Amino acid sequence: KGTSTILQAIVTQELAVAMNHCSVYEVCRHSNAWAAGSDNYRIEGSYAVLIDHYMQQLKGVPVELNWRVTRVEYQNGDSDGSSRVVVTNQKGATMNADCVIVTVPHSILRDGDIEFIPPLPEAKIQAANNICLEP
């Protein structure tokens, strides 16, 4: 189940669409838009191999799945120039880190379900609001 969740997050992040609304055509169109060239590579086995590889790279790094985030607060550090991020979930639990990756469906950003402090730039908010993912 964890592999499936991660794959769904990756597809949603890359294509800005949920997997159940994603077509092969869209994947190909997105792939062709890359500026890295036209070479295509096939993963032997399945995408689970790729996800397992990334999970191996993350050994020792805290990874929270199904930890519904409600707030992401970037805090400037003290005079030493350090900074940190405080992430709060729906139960009020917090996690402190130097940096975080939050993967969420487009609708979470669009609907403002996560409070970002400082707020996301207006251009990012407008971009999220202008994406139409309805079937």
Side-chain angles (χ1 to χ4, degrees), residues 7-17 30 101-104 109:
L7 178 59
Q8 289 178 24
I10 290 170
V11 169
T12 301
Q13 178 70 25
E14 285 296 313
L15 300 178
V17 65
H30 176 76
I101 299 172
V102 179
T103 59
V104 296
L109 288 177

Side-chain angles (χ1 to χ4, degrees), residues 106 109-110 120-132:
H106 163 259
L109 288 177
R110 180 193 65 212
L120 292 174
E122 186 61 32
K124 301 284 185 193
I125 294 170
Q126 287 301 318
N129 290 338
N130 290 333
I131 295 174
C132 179

Side-chain angles (χ1 to χ4, degrees), residues 56-97:
Q56 288 294 321
Q57 302 302 311
L58 292 174
K59 281 195 181 224
V61 175
V63 175
E64 295 291 338
L65 301 175
N66 299 315
W67 205 76
R68 196 175 77 192
V69 173
T70 57
R71 180 179 174 140
V72 177
E73 181 176 359
Y74 174 78
Q75 299 176 339
N76 285 326
D78 297 327
S79 59
D80 64 358
S82 66
S83 59
R84 69 181 188 151
V85 181
V86 179
V87 180
T88 306
N89 75 1
Q90 78 277 12
K91 296 178 181 176
T94 60
M95 181 185 304
N96 298 312

